[in-house]
């Protein structure tokens, strides 16, 4: 059964795509056009009742929320492809910790920047410099903690790449691209090296090449 | 080694407390007074660099982010106390899905209500009715999805209680208490039964009795 991933053109579904490639899991994609409101169509809401992307269908099994999906496939194919969960329960604990940090601390300000600078203008909104500055300041403080952490270990959860690192790829790609704030990464030596490392993985280069979306 | 949990008087650390009790894991607590800025003290920031609660110390192992901590202990003590992860990888996938929904959809508006109505006034802020209405409307839409889901299964991830359900306890307790919006739960038949079920668990009653905080 081939896994079907909805919404490959957007950021959160790309978390799923890069992890499926790392795990060597075959998949196909189904486009969902948010600008045309396809995420609000009744058939789509049966799969994802909150109307967001991604959702995956895997035979009879349906799963949504990108970070839940990547945990599921990392566990299901634990011994296939790149191990993304760490080797011990303690390592997995740290993977979970930094995956939560990505979701709770890193994602909200970077998502605000992407919405205001990339998506907003496409819908006729004018970005508010004061709100952009607030989001940037929040993200800077988070990145200061990352800089300290990454001065001590190669990846966020330790000396192994994991879901926690890969989960940062889709929205950081916007940050260094259309958001126009690559300096937030480059001004921090260890964050900059980490970004070069994870964004040059063949899995991620393939995702960006095949589904460039608004990058 | 006894697990040490920091910040038991606040909402997020209570996710950890209730799960440790369910798993039969012994722990002790260490108070952190956010109003006195103890979460900004250098020694605390060494444990939790973002200055939030909770953090746990378990021998040499330190872990933060409440939802990462509860996953760690649910996995470490998989066969002790209440199984909170489901029996199969597919069940765990659904636990992860609804735990993410709690974190991404449910928590942000309910946290806003708690901040504005309970914590804000203690720091001299006057709640803004318009912003409160916005948060309430967002939460209502999320609860409509829950009502539909809980009409089909007893708990969020299926017919078994899990981390996904328990993770809702601390902030929903504020909602039905000092926030003064119990009707958001009671107006929905299945959400109301689910709330009665999970909030009457001895583990949760013990948490509220021992660490009432601002409930």
């Amino acid at each position: 059964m081939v896994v079907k991933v909805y919404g490959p053109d957007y950021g959160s579904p790309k978390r799923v795509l890069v992890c499926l490639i790392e795990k060597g899991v075959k998949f196909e994609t189904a486009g969902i056009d948010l600008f045309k409101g396809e995420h609000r169509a009744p058939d789509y809401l049966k799969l994802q009742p909150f109307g967001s992307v991604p959702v995956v269908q895997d035979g009879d099994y349906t799963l949504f929320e990108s970070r839940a999906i990547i945990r599921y496939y990392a566990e299901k194919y634990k011994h296939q492809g790149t191990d993304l969960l760490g080797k011990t329960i303690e390592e997995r604990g740290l993977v979970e910790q930094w995956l939560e940090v990505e979701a709770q601390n890193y994602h909200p300000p970077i998502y605000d920047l992407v919405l205001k600078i990339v998506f907003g203008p496409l819908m006729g909104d004018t970005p508010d410099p004061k709100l952009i500055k607030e989001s940037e300041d929040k993200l800077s403080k988070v990145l200061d903690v990352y800089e300290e952490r990454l001065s001590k270990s190669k990846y966020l959860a330790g000396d192994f790449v994991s879901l926690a690192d890969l989960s940062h790829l889709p929205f950081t790609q916007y940050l260094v691209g259309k958001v126009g704030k690559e300096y937030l990464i480059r001004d921090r030596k260890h964050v900059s090296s980490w970004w070069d490392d994870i964004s040059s993985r063949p899995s991620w280069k393939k995702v960006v090449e095949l589904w460039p979306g608004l990058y």
Side-chain angles (χ1 to χ4, degrees), chain A residues 42-183:
Chain A
D43 279 352
Y44 188 75
L45 290 172
K46 280 181 196 160
L47 297 176
Q48 214 301 0
F50 298 99
S52 50
V53 288
V55 59
V56 298
Q57 280 186 296
D58 190 346
D60 291 338
Y61 191 61
T62 301
L63 201 62
F64 53 83
E65 282 294 330
S66 61
R67 298 177 192 86
I69 297 167
I70 62 177
R71 285 177 175 105
Y72 170 71
Y73 285 104
E75 182 74 38
K76 184 173 179 181
Y77 298 102
K78 174 85 177 151
H79 303 291
Q80 174 182 316
T82 314
D83 182 2
L84 297 170
L85 294 171
K87 287 190 181 65
T88 63
I89 291 178
E90 280 64 38
E91 284 185 353
R92 173 146 189 185
L94 293 173
V95 172
E96 294 292 350
Q97 171 182 289
W98 287 102
L99 194 50
E100 284 291 327
V101 167
E102 184 274 320
Q104 303 293 329
N105 298 70
Y106 190 84
H107 186 71
I110 206 169
Y111 182 68
D112 275 351
L113 291 172
V114 172
L115 268 193
K116 284 165 193 152
I117 297 175
V118 183
F119 283 80
L122 293 174
M123 295 183 286
D125 294 343
T126 307
D128 178 335
K130 186 166 163 283
L131 293 178
I132 286 174
K133 179 70 167 52
E134 280 177 17
S135 296
E136 182 173 334
D137 289 349
K138 279 185 198 168
L139 185 60
S140 285
K141 285 182 186 168
V142 175
L143 283 168
D144 287 342
V145 176
Y146 279 42
E147 179 66 4
E148 169 71 14
R149 170 65 184 169
L150 292 166
S151 75
K152 290 174 184 160
S153 70
K154 188 172 179 191
Y155 298 101
L156 286 169
D159 288 327
F160 57 98
V161 72
S162 75
L163 293 183
D165 304 294
L166 301 185
S167 193
H168 288 76
L169 285 164
F171 284 86
T172 311
Q173 191 72 55
Y174 281 119
L175 188 75
V176 304
K178 286 235 174 90
V179 166
K181 295 188 182 291
E182 186 173 357
Y183 59 86

